[in-house]
Amino acid sequence: MKKLEQFVNQSKRHLKNHSPTILSVAAAMGTVVSTVMAVKATPKALSLLKDAAAEKGEELSKNEIIQVAAPMYIPTAITCLCTIICILGANVLNKKQQASIMSAYVLLEDSFKKYRNAAVDVYGDDADSKIKAEIAKTTYVSCDGYSVYNPDMDFESEQLLFYDFYSHRYFNATLAAVINAQYHLNRNLLLRGYVTINEFYEFLGVDTVANGDDIGWNMDHLMTGGLLWLDFENRYTKLEDGMECCIISSFADPLPFSVIEEEM
């Protein structure tokens, strides 16, 4: 039952995220069906007009022609109306999604700039240049053409100690690796509409957790709280015993997708 519920929830998200494409395909099919129905209705309408004219004994008036022939084209008119609705609906949804994605990217860029400034304050004036160098030298191009971080190329001397607030574990990584993982998680969130916490751990290059595929963030749920992207806080902390680490947490906690669906 749990797998069935998860499948249903994923199907709902898939349909919602791909609704403009679905409506566009429906509109294309509606155009073809309308044409075929109009072609098939025409001989029937002509036959009815011929019979009506023969019964009247003279040519039919315009109003009479409409009264006789119109019923044959009612199914065609309904199909055309549905096609127009699909076209307009797809256009509206496309504009909404594009506006949402553009706004989210603008805000994400602004957040990233603020984070870069904070990184300079915490790690020194050359922190920004080091981060750029790390991103440039430790990326590779995946099969879909997008840049993905490769943590295996990190230098041990540049790694920091991080603490994940949700899985309660420590791991070593570079600041560039963590920022890159957070960026790609946000990218998938905007494009797909949801992400799992295991997906975040895979980007970080750490082990996934049990049930981590059933927990995560949903874009529609975030927007109900006034958030247009998933912002993270990487807070530098010095513990009482002198150990220094960076605590990773997000402004919106990950939730089970079943709970998110109930709240929505």
Side-chain angles (χ1 to χ4, degrees), residues 45-62:
L46 292 175
S47 177
L48 289 176
L49 290 173
K50 184 177 180 180
D51 293 341
E55 183 179 349
K56 183 179 180 181
E58 58 181 356
E59 293 185 358
L60 300 177
S61 64
K62 292 183 179 180

Side-chain angles (χ1 to χ4, degrees), residues 202-222:
E202 289 174 355
F203 280 130
L204 287 174
V206 299
D207 294 335
T208 56
V209 297
N211 301 319
D213 292 330
D214 300 322
I215 302 172
W217 298 269
N218 180 287
M219 192 65 205
D220 293 333
H221 185 257
L222 291 176

Side-chain angles (χ1 to χ4, degrees), residues 10-257:
Q10 289 178 348
S11 298
K12 288 181 180 179
R13 289 193 293 268
H14 182 81
L15 289 174
K16 190 169 185 178
N17 293 334
H18 295 82
S19 53
T21 302
I22 294 173
L23 288 176
S24 298
V25 172
M29 294 177 61
T31 302
V32 176
V33 172
S34 299
T35 303
V36 173
M37 292 178 67
V39 171
K40 289 185 176 181
T42 299
K44 296 179 181 180
L46 292 175
S47 177
L48 289 176
L49 290 173
K50 184 177 180 180
D51 293 341
E55 183 179 349
K56 183 179 180 181
E58 58 181 356
E59 293 185 358
L60 300 177
S61 64
K62 292 183 179 180
N63 290 334
E64 290 173 335
I65 292 174
I66 294 174
Q67 291 176 0
V68 173
M72 294 295 100
Y73 292 98
I74 290 178
T76 304
I78 293 174
T79 306
C80 288
L81 179 61
C82 293
T83 300
I84 293 173
I85 292 174
C86 288
I87 293 173
L88 295 177
N91 184 53
V92 171
L93 291 175
N94 270 324
K95 288 183 177 179
K96 286 184 177 180
Q97 286 189 353
Q98 290 173 4
S100 177
I101 292 174
M102 289 301 297
S103 299
Y105 269 117
V106 170
L107 292 174
L108 181 61
E109 182 182 4
D110 181 66
S111 177
F112 184 65
K113 287 180 179 178
K114 291 179 180 179
Y115 181 85
R116 286 171 57 187
N117 293 333
V120 171
D121 294 336
V122 174
Y123 297 104
D125 295 335
D126 60 344
D128 187 61
S129 60
K130 286 183 178 179
I131 291 172
K132 290 180 180 178
E134 282 295 311
I135 294 176
K137 73 179 180 60
T138 56
T139 59
Y140 67 93
V141 177
S142 65
C143 59
D144 62 359
Y146 291 105
S147 177
V148 180
Y149 193 84
N150 183 3
D152 294 334
M153 297 179 65
D154 285 334
F155 293 117
E156 292 185 3
S157 60
E158 297 175 350
Q159 291 188 344
L160 303 173
L161 181 64
F162 287 88
Y163 176 77
D164 177 43
F165 184 77
Y166 301 111
S167 63
H168 306 293
R169 55 181 171 171
Y170 291 92
F171 64 94
N172 292 313
T174 64
L175 183 60
V178 172
I179 294 176
N180 190 75
Q182 293 167 354
Y183 162 77
H184 280 287
L185 191 73
N186 265 291
R187 177 181 173 275
N188 285 358
L189 177 64
L190 293 174
L191 293 177
R192 190 199 304 141
Y194 72 96
V195 288
T196 68
I197 197 166
N198 272 348
E199 196 171 352
F200 180 46
Y201 294 146
E202 289 174 355
F203 280 130
L204 287 174
V206 299
D207 294 335
T208 56
V209 297
N211 301 319
D213 292 330
D214 300 322
I215 302 172
W217 298 269
N218 180 287
M219 192 65 205
D220 293 333
H221 185 257
L222 291 176
M223 292 179 69
T224 59
L227 300 176
L228 295 178
W229 82 101
L230 181 59
D231 199 3
F232 285 89
E233 180 183 21
N234 303 315
R235 182 163 51 89
Y236 177 77
T237 304
K238 188 172 183 179
L239 304 181
E240 293 181 357
D241 60 0
M243 184 176 71
E244 299 177 352
C245 68
C246 213
I247 301 176
I248 300 176
S249 61
S250 63
F251 284 89
D253 293 334
L255 296 173
F257 289 119

